[in-house]
Amino acid sequence: MSIDLLLINLDHVGIAVENLNESLATFKELYGVEPIHRETVASQGVEEAMLSVGGSYVQLLQPIDEDGPVARFLQQRGQGMHHLAFAVADIEAALRHLESQGARLVDVEPRIGGQGKRIAFVHPRSFGGTLIELVESP
Ligand code: CO
């Protein structure tokens, strides 16, 4: 794979929120956008909603239990940006490339995220304290 083709676009920005309904209502009031998708992703301990903004999405994440990663993030840092997600064409190839460059992977192999998409996270220590998610674009 050419490195030029590694990232297709910015798929979404994930934001951790305390109350998904309230946050969706506020987003609609301020920006006039309603969610196109809403789903509980038990494996990640969240209920999530996707808001379509041009070619990308805003993903709001509310924890559904007290010990998932988003719950811990909220306890430590409060509400705010949680991760950036890039669309990739081939998630395995992207992970192997990152591994070869010494990136610290949270997920060495892809797992299934919201909407059944294959995703993987790259540790914040590998880039500016920012958690990066890769999403395989169908
Ligand atoms: Co995400």
Side-chain angles (χ1 to χ4, degrees), residues 13 16 24 35 48 50 62 96 104-105 109 114 126 132 134:
V13 175
L24 286 170
E48 67 176 47
M50 299 297 270
Q62 179 197 311
R96 295 298 78 82
R104 183 166 159 188
L105 304 179
E109 296 299 330
S126 286
I132 303 282
L134 306 175

Side-chain angles (χ1 to χ4, degrees), residues 88-137:
V88 297
D90 181 340
I91 197 165
E92 270 99 0
L95 287 170
R96 295 298 78 82
H97 168 75
L98 288 163
E99 212 165 35
S100 75
Q101 297 304 305
R104 183 166 159 188
L105 304 179
V106 175
D107 300 302
V108 177
E109 296 299 330
R111 55 184 156 128
I112 302 300
Q115 298 171 282
K117 292 181 178 175
R118 301 209 302 154
I119 64 167
F121 285 94
V122 185
H123 198 278
R125 276 188 206 155
S126 286
F127 187 73
T130 302
L131 179 64
I132 303 282
E133 177 184 0
L134 306 175
V135 183
E136 191 166 76
S137 203

Side-chain angles (χ1 to χ4, degrees), residues 17-29 35 38 47 49 60-62:
V17 301
E18 302 275 3
N19 184 310
L20 188 57
N21 287 331
E22 281 178 16
S23 298
L24 286 170
T26 302
F27 204 87
K28 187 178 178 205
E29 272 170 37
R38 189 166 169 161
E47 183 177 4
L60 302 182
L61 303 156
Q62 179 197 311

